[in-house]
Structure formats: structure tokens, C-alpha cells
Amino acid sequence: MPVKDKALELRPLFAQLGLLGHTDGSVMFSLGQTAVICGVYGPAEVKPHKERLEGATVEISLRPPSGPTGLQEKAKEAVLKGLVESSILGSLHPRTSVFVSLQPLDMDGGELAAAVNATCLALMDCSISMRCLFASVEVTRTEDGIILLDPSQKQATKAVAKATFVFESVNQDVLASHLEGRWSEKAFQAGLQAALDGSKAIFQFYRETVKRKFSKELMMK
Amino acid sequence: MRDVPLSNLERQFLLDALEESKRLDGRSTPQRRPLELHFGRVEGTALVSVGETQSDHASLVYAQASASIAEPAVSRPIEGMLNIFVTYCGSAAARFADAAGTAGGDEAVEVTRLLERCLKESRCLDLESLCIVAEEKVWQIRLDVNILSAAAGGVADAASVAALAALAHFKRPEVTLQGDQVTIHPVSERDPVALAIHHYPVLSTFAFFNRQKSGSNAEKIVCVDPTWQEEQVMAGKIVFGVNPYREICTLHLAGQLLIDKSVVLRYAHVASQHAKSVVDLIKNQLHEDTQKRLAGQTEEIGFAFAFKQNSILQNVKPAEMVSTANLEHV
């Protein structure tokens, strides 16, 4: 069965850096219609009972667009905490805290992926030292075995399995994966490959975004 | 995390400048910051920014309205319910950067109460039209107001615009009654229905400052739409909730202030003019949004599109075919 035309298309990307003037780093990021605002403070002061001698204390706060914070949000916060801790050079900033706050505005498929990408862009806007960047894409698999890359909510209605992969920029290793539903090994490998290709486009987007931000300063030299 | 405190020098400078009717951001005392309103893709979502975004003087508020079915209150069996929840996101200001999510503390309570008085107690939303089956089922409208950026002040004013816009934009599922049978139609079957709003009360904040040279009985300096620093330095404030018909729905006086009733009436008039311009803004944006939805321009709906401008801090990338992997039938 041939793969559908739009199956391997990454939706339009949008990022606006520095949206919140008072934070150290912030971004409004959207993947198609899935939009999220992320603000980062750090490295900043930390409460004495939370301070760590080995490095920065990372705290994540993710709020749903409506309703009280639930388990879904806590699960995403745990994924993000691991990602941020492994990618920032926390050991350069012992006894400080890095606080990441996320507020999704619209959820149209790929919410975890959008949150991850927004976090990375906000950390870049904050200019915190990082050992690698990270990017994430969601893939879904339908009953017929068709793999969709970065589907919208409407496109994902027929999905029987979903997977969100997070890749790092240096060696393209997998930093995190979050699976729902049943994935055969063959389907998993195909989904992983599709997500990897999608993440390359996102890393390119990061590069272009930061280059644009400093374009005026670079020009003056 | 602690906010950067306001130094005594800054306080004094602010007060000295106000003596000459000068404000730190260059506005005149009766001048408000520009207000921008954007609707989202989902019906009932609104994003309001006060002041230029990206500057230190901007506030950002996001509101979402949603509906669920619940039993009505015993005392009001034929009325629906409106519940307002205000939370400050961790990114709103350094003082809210706490993973425990205390949701804002005193400031959130003040804004919640102001919004409740302005929207709930003024009965601007027709609650009887939200009744499905008397004493059994009514629509419960939940209004979530998330303060994304509060460092610049003006949160109550922005929140009231966002809350009203969200209510005006929201559509609840259509319900039909056939004898005892209640059918709630999904959006795919029947178009959802807008809420019935009688009038549009809008909050407007005025900060009062004592003159330094003359006594406290002298005429005070008044600033419309105070910034956070101005709020730290003011003697007191009045928050009006007025609708464009010049009906005062809310009056809140805070701080150490003694004012004459003529002052209250004078500024209520100013607040009602602001209410009129806000309601015009909401109606225009709503009209544009409806046109776009009717024309099927789904790419131009939503927050991502609304924020597009020609700025080096922005980057846009169109949809792209990325994978060259040959994905066979798996």
C-alpha cells in the first residue's frame, strides 16, 4: 500500500523569541496549530532545601489550557525535566535553579513534541550553556499500517498507536521516547526513522531562528 | 524566586516625574497602553496583550471558556453556572516561578474576585438560557484565565478583556428536548450555539498618587492603566467595572485613599469610554474571526497566525516533506 502524500510532511513551524520581556528566555512556538508559550528563568537563586552542590536544580511547570493540573501534565513535566537535566551544562551552575514554565495555548496533535521544542528554543533564547540541543516529533500508526509524521488531531483520529521521539543534535541519539499503543519492531523502526528525519528539519529551524535573532549584530561587524 | 525589588531611588524618581505629569514609559497620565486581542482556533479561546510585547512593559493574558453539564444549585434550579479560575503561570513574573504552583497567592485572589464581581455578579451572562432540564441538568461554564506575563501590571484590566472575549467567542453544543429525552448534539452533527451575553462590563484601573509638596488634601495625581512600578508607589487605586451603557457594575477602592464622590463619577465616565472601545474591539475581532471561519480559511485562524509580523525575533517555516525513508506497508 503506497504511503499517502501528506503522511511524511512536517507541519509549518513558527517561533517568536523573547515574547515575555522579563524572563531570561522565552518563546512562543507552534507546530501547525499546536501552540505553546514557554518561559525560562535561570540560572537563578534557589531555595536552600532544593539546592544541589553538583549542579543546577531543574524545575518544570506545565499547565493545561483549561482545568486544573492533572496527571497528564505531571507526566510531561517528568519527561521535560529529564531532557533539560541531560542537555544543559548544569555543573557550571551549582546551587542555582533553572525554572521552565510552559503554557499550551492550542492542542492540535503533537503536544508533547511542541512542549519539548518550545523548551529547547526558550533555553537557547536564555543563552544557558547546553551540551546539546533537542528536538521532538510525534508519529502515529493507523490500523492499515500507515505511518503519519506529525499529524494534526484530525489526521490522528484513525491512529491506533502514537509515539513521540526526542533526538539530540550532536549524534542524533534518542534522548527520550514516549509510546502509546502497540508497535511492532518493524513499525517502530519506520516510525523512528521518520521522526529522525523530521527532527533534522527542526534542528535546521532552530539554527535559522537564532541566526535571525543575531543577524543585525552579525551584520554590523 | 524573588522579583527585583524597587529601589528607593526609583520610587523617588517615579514620584518626582509624576509631579510633572511624566510617566516612565513616556505615556501621559490619561493614556492607556495599546491593547491587542487575538482569538484562537478553538472556540472560546482569547489572548490579550497590553503594551508592546517583548518589552518590559507588556502583560499577556490567556483565557479559555469551556462547558460541561452539571446539577444546578439547589437555590437556583433553573440557572446555569459560571465559574472563574485565575492562575498566574510560573513565567508571569519571578515571584511566581515556583514548581509547587501556588497559583498566584494574594494577587490571584484579588483578580479572581474582581472578575467574579464584574462578570458573575453583574449577571452579564444569561444563566437561564443555560438550563437544560430544571433542577437536573444545566450548563456549567468554566472560564480559565491564565496570566502569562504580569511583570508590567495592568493584569486586572487585561484579564477582564480576555475573559469577556473568551465568553463572546465560545460556543456550546446544541441541545434538543423531546419530551423526557435530552439530546446533546456533537459539533459534527449540529453547529454549536453562542452564549447569551446581556452586556459587556470591562475593568479599568486608576492609580492615585499624593502630591509631595502640598498636603494630602490637595488634588491627587491620577494615572490610568498603571504599570507594576506605579502600583508599588501609588497611594491607592480604584478599579471600575463599567459597561458601554455607563452602568457601573463593579467598584473597588484599595490603598490609603480618601476621595470625593465627584472624583469617582468623573473617572467612571473615563472607564466607560474605555469599555466602549474594548467592546468595539471584541466585536470587530469576532466579526473577522467569523468571516475567516465561514470562508474556510483555516490557515489564518489561530494564535500562530495572529502573531506574525516582520521581526528578526520571529522565524516561520512552511510545511515541508521531510522523510525520504521508503515506508512500506508495516
Side-chain angles (χ1 to χ4, degrees):
Chain A
M1 188 183 288
V3 174
K4 286 191 186 150
D5 258 346
K6 298 262 177 179
L8 301 174
E9 191 185 60
L10 191 67
R11 288 179 290 173
L13 298 170
F14 168 86
Q16 174 159 359
L17 298 175
L19 182 72
L20 309 170
H22 55 278
T23 50
D24 292 327
S26 60
V27 68
M28 172 157 163
F29 173 75
S30 80
L31 188 56
Q33 290 280 15
T34 304
V36 60
I37 286 187
C38 179
V40 172
Y41 287 104
E45 64 181 19
V46 65
K47 291 203 174 105
H49 66 272
K50 287 187 191 165
E51 72 176 25
R52 288 172 63 233
L53 293 173
E54 313 86 58
T57 308
V58 173
E59 288 178 312
I60 316 277
S61 167
L62 174 70
R63 288 197 40 82
S66 72
T69 317
L71 291 172
Q72 290 259 14
E73 286 74 41
K74 290 286 170 213
K76 289 184 184 145
E77 282 177 6
V79 171
L80 286 164
K81 184 167 185 221
L83 283 174
V84 176
E85 279 175 347
S86 39
S87 62
I88 63 169
L89 291 169
S91 53
L92 290 180
H93 310 284
R95 299 164 67 213
T96 64
S97 80
V98 172
F99 180 84
V100 181
S101 166
L102 290 130
Q103 173 68 63
L105 301 176
D106 196 349
M107 309 197 22
D108 189 28
E111 291 93 31
L112 178 59
V116 168
N117 297 334
T119 306
C120 187
L121 276 166
L123 288 169
M124 286 162 73
D125 188 47
C126 177
S127 302
I128 202 168
S129 309
M130 296 172 80
R131 68 167 61 85
C132 65
L133 303 176
F134 49 89
S136 172
V137 195
E138 191 187 49
V139 287
T140 60
R141 183 178 70 83
T142 64
E143 186 102 31
D144 320 335
I146 297 182
I147 303 245
L148 287 179
L149 179 74
D150 186 35
S152 67
Q153 204 172 53
K154 202 168 153 191
Q155 290 167 333
T157 42
K158 301 233 182 84
V160 294
K162 289 186 183 176
T164 305
F165 294 104
V166 185
F167 300 94
E168 53 87 31
S169 56
V170 179
N171 298 318
Q172 282 79 50
D173 286 336
V174 176
L175 273 184
S177 70
H178 182 84
L179 303 171
E180 280 173 33
R182 224 175 45 150
W183 286 87
S184 67
E185 201 190 314
K186 204 170 162 198
F188 180 85
Q189 290 297 343
L192 186 64
Q193 183 60 44
L196 182 61
D197 293 329
S199 71
K200 285 180 186 155
I202 297 180
F203 284 126
Q204 184 59 31
F205 178 73
Y206 289 169
R207 195 168 294 127
E208 285 162 19
T209 306
V210 177
K211 205 166 147 187
R212 253 179 89 84
K213 178 184 169 187
F214 292 109
S215 58
K216 284 202 175 155
E217 291 159 52
L218 292 172
M219 251 166 59
M220 277 158 72
K221 281 191 179 167
Chain B
M1 220 165 279
R2 276 191 298 260
D3 269 340
V4 175
L6 196 66
S7 65
N8 289 336
L9 263 164
E10 282 175 289
R11 276 175 193 265
Q12 197 50 52
F13 183 74
L14 226 153
L15 288 169
D16 289 343
L18 279 169
E19 289 284 330
E20 296 171 36
S21 300
K22 289 199 168 96
R23 295 169 80 169
L24 287 190
D25 53 5
R27 286 186 282 158
S28 59
T29 49
Q31 196 179 349
R32 301 194 68 100
R33 284 173 284 186
L35 194 74
E36 261 184 50
L37 169 66
H38 303 289
F39 288 114
R41 180 188 60 99
V42 173
E43 266 145 356
T45 53
L47 190 63
V48 170
S49 73
V50 168
E52 267 181 48
T53 50
Q54 296 154 33
S55 73
D56 281 343
H57 304 292
S59 277
L60 202 60
V61 177
Y62 168 73
Q64 174 154 357
S66 49
S68 59
I69 299 187
E71 250 185 54
V74 175
S75 52
R76 295 188 191 271
I78 53 161
E79 276 185 11
M81 297 176 276
L82 172 66
N83 294 320
I84 304 178
F85 298 90
V86 175
T87 41
Y88 279 71
C89 299
S91 57
R95 61 187 179 276
F96 302 111
D98 184 357
T102 47
D106 289 343
E107 289 176 65
V109 171
E110 189 188 11
V111 176
T112 311
R113 276 305 294 149
L114 279 169
L115 283 179
E116 279 185 349
R117 284 157 68 185
C118 183
L119 297 172
K120 267 177 88 162
E121 292 171 28
S122 69
R123 310 195 45 92
C124 70
L125 186 64
D126 184 5
L127 295 174
E128 280 182 20
S129 65
L130 296 176
C131 182
I132 304 170
V133 177
E135 292 174 16
E136 280 174 38
K137 292 192 203 311
V138 295
W139 285 111
Q140 185 176 60
I141 307 292
R142 187 194 165 99
L143 196 52
D144 282 283
V145 180
N146 296 313
I147 316 294
L148 299 169
S149 178
V155 170
D157 296 7
S160 80
V161 177
L164 263 182
L167 284 175
H169 193 236
F170 179 65
K171 293 192 164 65
R172 60 161 177 83
E174 166 96 71
V175 173
T176 48
L177 278 152
Q178 277 156 333
D180 272 348
Q181 278 274 30
V182 177
T183 318
I184 298 156
H185 299 274
V187 175
S188 48
E189 255 181 49
R190 290 225 191 160
D191 280 343
V193 169
L195 297 175
I197 302 177
H198 293 308
H199 62 102
Y200 294 80
V202 176
L203 290 176
S204 203
T205 309
F206 297 82
F208 288 74
F209 302 84
N210 285 319
R211 289 201 183 267
Q212 296 179 80
K213 309 278 165 54
S214 5
S216 58
N217 286 333
E219 203 184 290
K220 305 209 192 308
I221 308 167
V222 186
C223 287
V224 179
D225 186 19
T227 61
W228 188 77
Q229 288 106 319
E230 287 166 349
E231 284 192 24
Q232 301 306 107
V233 171
M234 67 187 177
K237 69 177 179 187
I238 304 185
V239 184
F240 288 97
V242 190
N243 66 23
Y245 302 117
R246 297 171 62 175
E247 294 167 323
I248 302 178
C249 309
T250 312
L251 188 57
H252 174 72
L253 185 61
Q256 301 143 343
L257 208 54
L258 292 172
I259 45 171
D260 191 59
K261 65 172 184 284
S262 61
V263 169
V264 173
L265 289 173
R266 190 194 321 157
Y267 290 110
H269 177 67
V270 175
S272 116
Q273 286 175 328
H274 170 61
K276 184 156 195 317
S277 70
V278 163
V279 172
D280 285 341
L281 174 68
I282 294 178
K283 290 195 169 149
N284 287 336
Q285 292 288 84
L286 211 52
H287 177 76
E288 260 187 52
D289 187 73
T290 315
Q291 296 297 95
K292 283 186 192 160
R293 281 172 202 266
L294 285 174
Q297 292 168 326
T298 43
E299 255 100 70
E300 293 187 17
I301 295 171
F303 295 124
F305 175 78
F307 272 78
K308 283 204 176 114
Q309 55 182 218
N310 201 11
S311 151
I312 56 168
L313 288 172
Q314 255 186 35
N315 195 14
V316 182
K317 189 186 188 107
E320 195 182 309
M321 289 295 289
V322 289
S323 189
T324 52
N326 188 16
L327 297 180
E328 322 144 3
H329 186 149
V330 293

